[in-house]
Amino acid sequence: MEFRGDAQFMLGDLLPSATSALGEMLKKAKAAANSWNQKEGLDLINAIETGFGEAKIKTGYDNWQINTAVHFNEWADLNRSDFAPVVTAFRGFTDAFICDKCNEIYFVSPDRGKKEALRCGCGALSLNLLQKGA
């Protein structure tokens, strides 16, 4: 994502990058788990990937409400019941980036250099990103 000195980022700036980055990290973690024959790790990654994919799809169902609300449309008068499914879908989607035990956002370590692991603060999630022999 491009740096902005004024920190005025928009959802369209962050969302595609974050979605792509998590998807790539899960693919790398799956390849690493396969190379090390880590069945339990693979099952966990598949579960995370499934939940992430479902949440991502649900955010797309209600895009018309977001576009209508953000770009003034005289014909559109959205109320709470129109927008509640959007909020629910996006909360579910953002939860895919957060550990359900410590409520911290997943992060990649180390901060710089070759990415070695996808983790959370409490250690409930610690996915190896390095394949055997690499």
Side-chain angles (χ1 to χ4, degrees):
M1 186 171 77
E2 184 178 322
F3 173 77
R4 292 187 54 105
D6 61 2
Q8 295 298 308
F9 297 102
M10 299 196 174
L11 183 61
D13 297 331
L14 180 61
L15 189 62
S17 296
T19 302
S20 175
L22 182 57
E24 284 300 311
M25 293 301 109
L26 292 173
K27 284 180 189 175
K28 286 182 180 184
K30 187 184 275 190
N34 274 324
S35 75
W36 291 96
N37 284 331
Q38 295 174 331
K39 171 98 171 83
E40 287 179 17
L42 199 54
D43 291 343
L44 173 63
I45 296 162
N46 285 331
I48 293 170
E49 233 176 7
T50 299
F52 177 61
E54 289 171 1
K56 187 167 50 171
I57 290 168
K58 286 179 184 176
T59 61
Y61 290 152
D62 299 310
N63 275 340
W64 74 269
Q65 288 108 322
I66 294 172
N67 287 330
T68 300
V70 171
H71 305 289
F72 176 73
N73 288 295
E74 216 172 286
W75 59 267
D77 186 19
L78 300 178
N79 59 40
R80 182 183 180 117
S81 63
D82 293 324
F83 213 68
V86 176
V87 173
T88 301
F90 272 89
R91 281 193 179 143
F93 181 67
T94 57
D95 285 350
F97 293 83
I98 298 172
C99 174
D100 59 355
K101 301 216 177 359
C102 66
N103 291 322
E104 286 194 21
I105 295 175
Y106 299 141
F107 61 92
V108 177
S109 65
D111 290 338
R112 294 193 171 104
K114 189 173 184 175
K115 295 168 175 61
E116 296 177 3
L118 180 65
R119 301 176 180 195
C120 69
C122 71
L125 181 77
S126 184
L127 301 177
N128 182 17
L129 300 176
L130 302 176
Q131 292 185 36
K132 188 175 185 175

